[in-house]
Amino acid sequence: MPDTAAAPAQLLQKWIAQKVDAAGAGWLAEAVAGLAGGGSDRDLYRSISLVSRKLGKAPLALPRAELSAATRARPGWDPSQWTVDQAGRVVLLLAVAGDVDAFVRRLDQLCATADIDELVAFYRGLPLYPEPPRHRLRAAEGVRTNMKVVFEAVAHRNPYPAEQLEEDAWNQMVLKALFVGSELDPIVGLDGRANAALARMLGDYAHERWSAGRPVSPELWRCVGPFAQGQLLADLERVLATGTPPERAAGVLALQRARDPEARRLLERYAAIRDAVAAQGIDWKSALQFQ
C-alpha cells in the first residue's frame, strides 16, 4: 500500500474498530490482509459486497480530535459525514492501491455495478486514492449523476474537485449544485476557485430563474462577487433593492469581495443593510438566517 494511502487507511480501520464488534473488526482485518497480499478481483468485489452485513451502517460520528487527525493525514479530508460501511469499502479499496492501473480498472468496474450506498462510498474516497489525476474522469462522472446523494459525495466536504477538476468541469459542478438544490457552502475550495466564466454562468442562471418566476438561491452570488461589474453589478443591485433578507445579505457579502470601484459606491447606497449584516456578524454560513 502506498504511503499516501497508509495513514488514512489506518485511521479508517481504527474508527471502524471503535464502532463494530470484535467479529466485524476481525473480518475486516482479515479481508484487508488478504487483498494486500495479492487478492483477486473476485476477492475484492466479494469483500465489498459483504461490508454492510459484516460492519453495519452506523455513523462514524467522529469527535473533533479524530477529524483533526484526518486533516493531518490528508489535507482537506473531512470524513465527518461518513458511515462505517463507507469507511469499510474505502479501506478495502486502499488495500489494493499498489497497482494503480489495476486500481483504476477495479474502481471503474465497481462503480458500473454499484448500488447508491456503494457509489457514495467510492466517491467520498476520491481524495484518498493513488495518483489523483488518474481519477478525474471518475469524479466528472459522479458530478454528472442525477442522484443528488451521489453528486454530493463528490461535491461536498471533498477536496478532490477543487484540486483536480479542470475549470469547465468545476464550473459545471457548482452550477449543478444550485440546479439540484444542493448547498454551496460544503464545497471545498469554493472561494479559491471562483472565476469569471463561472460568474457569467451564474448570472445567466439567475436571469433564467427570474424570468420563470422562480427563486434564486442567495448562495449563487458568492461566486459572482469577485467578478461583479456591468450586468452582474446591476443584478446585485436588483438583489439589494428587491430581494428577501437572506438575498440582500448575500448581495452585501458578494459586493464586499467585488473589485470594481462601483461596487463600493453601490454598498454605500445600501449602507443600512450593509451595517445590519456587519452588526449581526453574518457570513456565508449564516446568511440564510438574516432577517
Side-chain angles (χ1 to χ4, degrees):
M1 185 182 301
D3 291 341
T4 53
Q10 290 165 4
L11 283 175
L12 287 168
Q13 283 191 262
K14 182 183 79 169
W15 298 334
I16 292 167
Q18 293 169 349
K19 293 292 181 178
V20 304
D21 59 21
W27 171 83
L28 181 62
E30 183 178 344
V32 167
L35 291 170
S40 66
D41 289 2
R42 181 179 179 182
D43 294 330
L44 174 64
Y45 304 154
R46 183 175 184 277
S47 295
I48 283 179
S49 72
L50 290 172
V51 164
S52 294
R53 189 188 314 170
K54 297 290 188 179
L55 304 179
K57 297 185 176 184
L60 283 179
L62 299 171
R64 184 173 299 177
E66 297 295 353
L67 293 175
S68 296
T71 300
R72 290 193 300 272
R74 200 300 187 186
W77 181 31
D78 178 4
S80 60
Q81 305 297 310
W82 284 37
T83 59
V84 169
D85 57 310
Q86 292 165 6
R89 292 185 177 105
V90 173
V91 165
L92 292 169
L93 271 173
L94 294 178
V96 297
D99 183 335
V100 179
D101 289 335
F103 182 91
V104 171
R105 175 181 57 77
R106 286 166 160 173
L107 180 59
D108 286 344
Q109 180 59 40
L110 284 165
C111 289
T113 58
D115 61 25
I116 292 178
D117 288 344
E118 291 169 341
L119 282 174
V120 169
F122 301 148
Y123 283 116
R124 281 186 166 174
L126 278 169
L128 308 182
Y129 300 153
E131 293 191 22
R134 295 286 300 274
H135 311 295
R136 288 173 180 165
L137 292 178
R138 171 52 48 206
E141 182 70 18
V143 168
R144 285 194 294 268
T145 182
N146 292 322
M147 295 176 283
K148 183 177 177 182
V149 66
V150 176
F151 169 81
E152 290 181 345
V154 182
H156 283 181
R157 301 175 183 86
N158 190 336
Y160 187 90
E163 293 171 354
Q164 296 296 330
L165 292 187
E166 300 293 339
E167 183 174 285
D168 183 62
W170 170 264
N171 291 351
Q172 290 297 329
M173 184 187 80
V174 175
L175 184 62
K176 183 165 183 177
L178 292 165
F179 185 78
V180 302
S182 290
E183 295 180 5
L184 296 192
D185 192 64
I187 297 177
V188 176
L190 182 66
D191 295 325
R193 292 223 40 192
N195 59 83
L198 176 59
R200 291 191 296 271
M201 290 169 62
L202 294 175
D204 291 343
Y205 179 67
H207 278 269
E208 291 174 8
R209 300 284 293 181
W210 285 333
S211 296
R214 296 177 179 175
V216 173
S217 169
E219 287 192 296
L220 177 147
W221 306 107
R222 180 169 179 171
C223 295
V224 170
F227 307 94
Q229 58 182 353
Q231 182 58 55
L232 292 175
L233 207 55
D235 293 340
L236 282 167
E237 182 168 15
R238 171 177 174 168
V239 168
L240 288 171
T242 66
T244 63
E247 288 173 329
R248 299 174 96 184
V252 167
L253 294 174
L255 286 170
Q256 287 174 339
R257 296 187 63 208
R259 301 161 187 165
D260 191 320
E262 181 59 31
R264 301 292 178 227
R265 291 188 282 271
L266 180 56
L267 270 177
E268 285 298 325
R269 294 201 292 273
Y270 292 90
I273 303 171
R274 179 200 63 196
D275 294 346
V277 167
Q280 295 183 36
I282 297 297
D283 59 15
W284 286 109
K285 291 181 181 294
S286 57
L288 293 180
Q289 281 72 54
F290 180 71
Q291 296 296 326

